[in-house]
Amino acid sequence: MKPAITGPTVAPVTLQFDPVSSNATFPLVARLARKAQMNVPDAPFGTLLRRVELPASALTATAYPPRLRPGTMKHASPILRNGWPVRIVAIVLVLLFVIASNPLLAETTGAANELAGLWKAKKRFGPDARGTLVLQRSGSAWTADMAGRIVPVSSAKGELTFTLPDNGGTFRGRRDDQGVIRGHWLRPGTQVYWRSTPVSASPVVLQPDGQNRWRGNVDPVEDTFTFYLLLQPQPDGSRRAVLRNPERDIGTQQGVERLTRDGNALKLIGKRGGKEQVVASGTYDAENAVITFAFPNRGGSYDFIRDSDESAFYPRGKQPGRYTYRPPLARDDGWPVSTLDAADIDRATMEKFVQSILDMPMDSPDAPQVHGLLIARHGKLVLEEYFHEEDRDRLHNTRSASKSLTSLLVGAAMRAGVPLKLSSPVYQVMNGGTFPPDLEPQKRSMTLEHLLTMSSGYFCDDTNDDAPGNEDKMWDQEAEPDFYRYTMKVPMVTPPGENAVYCSASPNLALGMLGRAAHEDPISLFDRLIGGPMKIRRYEWALDPAGHPYGGGGMALLLRDFVKLGQLMLNGGTWEGRQIVSKEFVARASAPLYHLRNIYYGYLWWGEDYPYKNRTVHTFSARGAGGQTVTVVPELDLIVATFAGNFSSRKGMFAASTDPIPRIILPAVREPGDDKSAPVIEREYVTPYGASKDGRRVAKKR
């Protein structure tokens, strides 16, 4: 520190501290000022302490060097005009003396703030094989040209397949009656977690490109893992830590609270179940300004470097500016677009809502992490916004919300003539038409409808760690790669239809029934019955270790395609005039059939009643962990869809997805005859969704 003298008496005082960005305070200044009988509040302590306000006398000590010429008063602080030279110099001298005479204080303050600010680490795990794929035929022989390799293609029963060397990926496809080759790219799993990620399938279309040649593009989702680390020094010298992980929300899951430092050794400390734990250990390289932490079960070692104010840690930068509404972009994806005004949704309210997302402080583990927001009314998109560097062309994991897509695919297949009924016995269909010998009576009575309503009776509750059929245990075990066989061996705890429990194995087995009954890959059924007609051209579908598409969740979609599921339901099963799912199936799927987690459940669709004006309106929704939702309000011809990243925070998840619907969005929706100039009043609402043992069938109204 050094005083900068200018003018005949005293110049502004320069108080320059460590060049780090922080929201912490420097209470020592206030304490010293109080000793000099001045009422000084704690001053913001950032890259440079610009000023210390002294409101009692309009006294200010400027801490940003003004570089004034001797005798210049142009940029001088009010101190020069209020005659306080003695006291301010006294404060500075005392401050210098205290820090100089207390090396431990100086060292503690510097160490605490040297690491303060926002840091980022990101690793990419592949897969590397991507880009243009060319298939060529010469006589009866086929070859594939991709990723710098030319490999032979096998042709058997009309199916073309090849695999790149070194587990680079596999293609499977067929020529349709238009001469186009349609198929899927099976990308290998990668080592992001302690086990590899699942193999997953994405659609590939190869168009004719000359004689006996077809060309297309392979673009699998890249596995990435990202960490943002916000460190905030506290008055006691400790460092508060917020660890954000948009892909899995690991920091919140592990309860990260603070960072400790011993020399250059660092530890991230979290708290779970009231007990502290070391989440990660690492080091600080001061010379290169790099923090390194090891996450052995999350891809290994990560190098953190400082991130800017434009970081994706914030919804749209630290200083987002004022939001102004713009209508959604018109695209060739089947969605007509319109405006909020044309849809009778109050624009000012929605602008205020989006602004609140942009301005949301990100320094809490429970801060809502909204990745995308779409609103459709009267069959048209009227609002489309993305945050945290997500965009309309980036696939996003829908988690358990894709259970609702499983329901729609079953309904579409039944309408298309696949020999499957809601009353079809599970074990009979899965066993090729006959029941296995010595099958217990309860399993013999289990039907497709029981799987669709989560009332199979299996001991498979995903919230019960002791349940052998819960989703985590099924994925973690390696003895049975076929998840259909695994589930059918799970013991029963209740008769089918008696009680609903949340069980991801049930919709997955329902998808297995569909494949067995149709004698066709469920993914191909989806392309033919839903994806093609509804222009859902990009997705990624996880497979179980046996190669079956997983029906219990985890499908990656674009948000504009995700919301189509809601519009299909709202339309009574039609899309652009084409009946895809029967109206009867839609009505049944969206009805409150069972109590589940204090709200309702139909055929893999949730139901909840929301307040609106002086009444309630029934809604049904697809819901996935973290805030992946499509909510349909039939009475208002309205759909709201969200992508979010609060995978480990129940509070953040609801705040980022469904909570704003009854609180903010519904009050902004007008009906014919409403006064458009009437103020929109936000209303209170707390969802009843939560833990409950009540899985009874909903009583029929008389």
Side-chain angles (χ1 to χ4, degrees):
M1 306 178 190
K2 64 177 182 178
I5 306 294
T6 181
T9 53
V10 178
V13 177
T14 300
L15 303 177
Q16 181 169 339
F17 297 102
D18 291 317
V20 295
S21 178
S22 168
N23 293 323
T25 60
F26 193 65
L28 179 60
V29 174
R31 291 200 298 270
L32 293 173
R34 283 195 290 271
K35 287 184 179 181
Q37 299 181 344
M38 291 183 178
N39 183 21
V40 186
D42 289 359
F45 183 44
T47 301
L48 294 176
L49 181 62
R50 291 178 176 270
R51 69 180 84 185
V52 179
E53 299 290 348
L54 305 177
S57 59
L59 175 62
T60 302
T62 301
Y64 191 88
R67 302 193 182 191
L68 302 180
R69 296 187 302 273
T72 300
M73 296 287 292
K74 181 178 179 181
H75 298 290
S77 163
I79 185 174
L80 300 176
R81 298 187 292 274
N82 289 310
W84 290 89
V86 176
R87 286 189 179 179
I88 191 64
V89 171
I91 292 174
V92 175
L93 292 176
V94 171
L95 185 59
L96 284 167
F97 174 78
V98 170
I99 294 180
S101 62
N102 193 340
L104 179 60
L105 174 62
E107 181 180 350
T108 301
T109 303
N113 291 284
E114 184 181 11
L115 301 177
L118 181 62
W119 301 75
K120 176 184 177 181
K122 185 171 185 176
K123 292 182 72 172
R124 293 173 171 82
F125 296 87
D128 295 328
R130 61 183 64 244
T132 302
L133 167 61
V134 176
L135 293 187
Q136 288 187 296
R137 183 179 61 187
S138 178
S140 60
W142 290 76
T143 57
D145 185 335
M146 180 182 167
R149 305 268 195 162
I150 297 178
V151 298
V153 177
S154 65
S155 177
K157 298 181 179 180
E159 184 178 58
L160 302 170
T161 63
F162 73 87
T163 298
L164 290 178
D166 300 323
N167 194 30
T170 298
F171 173 79
R172 296 175 184 169
R174 295 175 180 272
R175 290 177 63 191
D176 64 16
D177 53 9
Q178 306 296 318
V180 177
I181 297 177
R182 300 181 184 277
H184 297 92
W185 181 255
L186 308 184
R187 49 143 274 185
T190 61
Q191 292 293 330
V192 178
Y193 313 116
W194 65 269
R195 62 169 185 261
S196 65
T197 58
V199 173
S200 56
S202 55
V204 176
V205 177
L206 305 178
Q207 298 286 351
D209 184 45
Q211 188 174 7
N212 294 323
R213 185 173 64 196
W214 290 260
R215 180 188 299 268
N217 192 57
V218 173
D219 186 24
V221 172
E222 182 180 45
D223 280 338
T224 62
F225 217 64
T226 312
F227 287 108
Y228 296 99
L229 179 62
L230 180 65
L231 298 175
Q232 299 170 309
Q234 301 301 294
D236 63 359
S238 65
R239 305 165 189 84
R240 180 173 179 267
V242 175
L243 184 67
R244 184 87 66 219
N245 166 234
E247 292 88 0
R248 302 291 292 188
D249 204 12
I250 296 300
T252 306
Q253 179 195 76
Q254 298 298 319
V256 171
E257 292 183 341
R258 60 191 176 89
L259 178 141
T260 65
R261 179 179 182 180
D262 183 5
N264 287 328
L266 307 177
K267 289 182 180 180
L268 280 174
I269 307 299
K271 185 181 291 185
R272 299 188 72 184
K275 297 182 179 180
E276 284 199 341
Q277 60 176 351
V278 177
V279 176
S281 299
T283 59
Y284 175 55
D285 179 349
E287 182 177 354
N288 295 300
V290 175
I291 293 174
T292 301
F293 276 114
F295 296 90
N297 295 331
R298 295 294 183 265
S301 179
Y302 288 77
D303 291 335
F304 290 74
I305 61 174
R306 289 196 177 276
D307 209 0
S308 73
D309 285 352
E310 298 304 312
S311 170
F313 175 79
Y314 306 103
R316 286 185 192 160
K318 192 173 182 179
Q319 303 293 334
R322 182 176 178 82
Y323 169 76
T324 302
Y325 167 74
R326 292 184 299 178
L329 183 68
R331 308 188 78 183
D332 179 28
D333 62 357
W335 268 117
V337 298
S338 185
T339 66
L340 290 170
D341 292 330
D344 285 329
I345 300 176
D346 188 75
R347 182 170 60 179
T349 299
M350 298 314 300
E351 286 182 331
K352 181 180 178 182
F353 173 44
V354 174
Q355 188 71 56
S356 72
I357 296 174
L358 300 182
D359 294 338
M360 182 69 62
M362 290 290 111
D363 59 354
S364 164
D366 294 321
Q369 303 295 301
V370 184
H371 292 170
L373 171 66
L374 278 187
I375 296 178
R377 196 176 191 205
H378 307 318
K380 298 178 181 180
L381 289 183
V382 297
L383 181 73
E384 180 182 20
E385 298 293 342
Y386 299 92
F387 313 93
H388 297 283
E389 291 189 355
E390 297 291 335
D391 61 68
R392 63 172 59 90
D393 294 315
R394 181 177 298 184
L395 294 173
H396 195 288
N397 195 316
T398 61
R399 303 294 287 266
S400 285
S402 52
K403 288 179 170 70
S404 302
L405 185 144
T406 297
S407 170
L408 284 173
L409 182 53
V410 168
M414 290 169 58
R415 188 186 182 281
V418 171
L420 192 65
K421 299 178 181 179
L422 293 170
S423 59
S424 294
V426 174
Y427 285 80
Q428 185 181 51
V429 173
M430 294 302 293
N431 197 48
T434 60
F435 286 104
D438 301 323
L439 183 67
E440 61 183 281
Q442 287 187 348
K443 289 187 174 181
R444 192 181 186 92
S445 65
M446 188 190 303
T447 67
L448 173 62
E449 186 170 34
H450 294 138
L451 298 180
L452 295 178
T453 56
M454 301 278 192
S455 63
S456 66
Y458 283 130
F459 190 12
C460 61
D461 188 344
D462 287 348
T463 65
N464 185 344
D465 291 339
D466 295 329
N470 78 36
E471 185 177 36
D472 287 342
K473 285 194 173 175
M474 184 166 63
W475 277 102
D476 290 347
Q477 59 84 35
E478 297 179 352
E480 177 54 81
D482 187 323
F483 286 180
Y484 305 150
R485 287 202 297 261
Y486 180 89
T487 301
M488 290 191 292
K489 296 175 184 176
V490 171
M492 303 289 288
V493 290
T494 60
E498 181 178 287
N499 190 67
V501 297
Y502 194 76
C503 167
S504 297
S506 289
N508 182 60
L509 186 53
L511 194 66
M513 289 183 68
L514 175 58
R516 295 290 171 86
H519 301 288
E520 185 177 351
D521 181 3
I523 300 182
S524 297
L525 279 169
F526 170 79
D527 290 339
R528 181 163 58 86
L529 301 178
I530 295 179
M534 297 181 66
K535 296 185 178 180
I536 301 177
R537 304 180 179 111
R538 291 184 61 208
Y539 59 81
E540 187 154 285
W541 202 322
L543 311 181
D544 75 6
H548 302 132
Y550 186 60
M555 188 177 185
L557 290 166
L558 302 177
L559 187 54
R560 288 174 69 122
D561 289 339
F562 187 39
V563 74
K564 290 175 183 177
L565 307 183
Q567 191 66 53
L568 180 64
M569 293 285 285
L570 186 56
N571 291 348
T574 66
W575 181 264
E576 294 184 336
R578 177 173 177 171
Q579 194 76 42
I580 293 176
V581 182
S582 73
K583 188 174 182 179
E584 294 74 20
F585 186 91
V586 167
R588 189 76 174 158
S590 58
L593 303 179
Y594 280 83
H595 297 275
L596 189 61
R597 294 189 176 178
N598 286 325
I599 54 176
Y600 302 110
Y601 210 67
Y603 291 164
L604 307 178
W605 287 82
W606 295 92
E608 186 170 1
D609 294 332
Y610 285 151
Y612 176 69
K613 294 183 178 178
N614 58 354
R615 65 185 194 272
T616 61
V617 292
H618 181 66
T619 73
F620 58 89
S621 57
R623 299 189 181 194
Q628 328 316 316
T629 64
V630 174
T631 301
V632 183
V633 191
E635 194 171 330
L636 300 177
D637 199 15
L638 177 75
I639 307 170
V640 180
T642 61
F643 280 160
N646 294 97
F647 301 108
S648 300
S649 168
R650 179 66 57 87
K651 178 181 178 181
M653 178 180 73
F654 284 114
S657 56
T658 53
D659 278 359
I661 298 175
R663 291 178 48 250
I664 299 170
I665 297 175
L666 291 188
V669 176
R670 298 188 177 94
E671 296 178 291
D674 286 350
D675 181 2
K676 294 185 178 182
S677 64
V680 175
I681 301 175
E682 182 178 331
R683 69 187 305 161
E684 293 297 321
Y685 180 78
V686 178
T687 179
Y689 179 96
S692 172
K693 294 182 179 180
D694 184 6
R696 294 170 298 126
R697 185 186 295 272
V698 174
K700 294 182 179 179
K701 294 181 179 180
R702 296 183 179 180

